[in-house]
Amino acid sequence: QLQLVESGGGLVQPGGSLRLSCAASGSTLDYYAIGWFRQAPGKEREGVGCISTSGSDTKYATSVKGRFTISRDNANNTVYLQMNSLKPEDTAIYYCAALNLKFCLLWGTSGRYPYWGQGTQVTVSS
């Protein structure tokens, strides 16, 4: 029943910032930990980060730690991915996904997430 829709992608210059949104419908988002994944051309999908149901616990891939921040607004059924200091290697399609857990257990394993958004393109280029 849960549906996820990403938005906010686009073209940005290296060093710039972008904020992605993941909006839920069909069910309340506060039952799910939310993961962010990305897939670059010719590469497999990789985990970016995860946030617990309350937002008290966050996980990040080493490649984005310190630059990306995940937050959530359960009242508005929305999770955000704030991306700063963007690099060309951040170029990818970004997806949000819902996990049927309160906490981000084995969050980098994409097969654990039963619900996925359609993805939004992020391009970092001069």
Side-chain angles (χ1 to χ4, degrees):
Q1 289 182 306
L2 180 67
Q3 294 179 313
L4 303 174
V5 179
E6 303 94 335
S7 63
L11 176 65
V12 64
Q13 294 186 350
S17 298
L18 207 60
R19 187 179 73 166
L20 306 184
S21 298
C22 175
S25 62
S27 182
T28 179
L29 198 59
D30 58 8
Y31 291 111
Y32 306 93
I34 301 297
W36 283 95
F37 292 79
R38 66 186 183 185
Q39 188 164 22
K43 296 184 178 180
E44 65 181 17
R45 188 171 297 179
E46 65 176 354
V48 174
C50 180
I51 187 167
S52 63
T53 55
S54 68
S56 62
D57 181 47
T58 53
K59 306 293 184 183
Y60 299 97
T62 56
S63 60
V64 307
K65 193 174 297 182
R67 298 188 298 120
F68 290 11
T69 302
I70 304 172
S71 61
R72 64 190 300 159
D73 183 354
N74 287 342
N76 289 301
N77 247 14
T78 305
V79 173
Y80 302 97
L81 177 63
Q82 178 67 48
M83 305 184 293
N84 299 325
S85 302
L86 283 162
K87 305 174 181 179
E89 49 263 46
D90 294 319
T91 296
I93 300 174
Y94 283 72
Y95 302 86
C96 65
L99 181 65
N100 291 315
L101 294 172
K102 288 186 176 181
F103 295 93
C104 299
L105 181 64
L106 299 177
W107 64 272
T109 304
S110 61
R112 292 173 56 81
Y113 296 79
Y115 306 103
W116 291 80
Q118 84 291 343
T120 185
Q121 176 70 48
V122 172
T123 303
V124 184
S125 176
S126 298

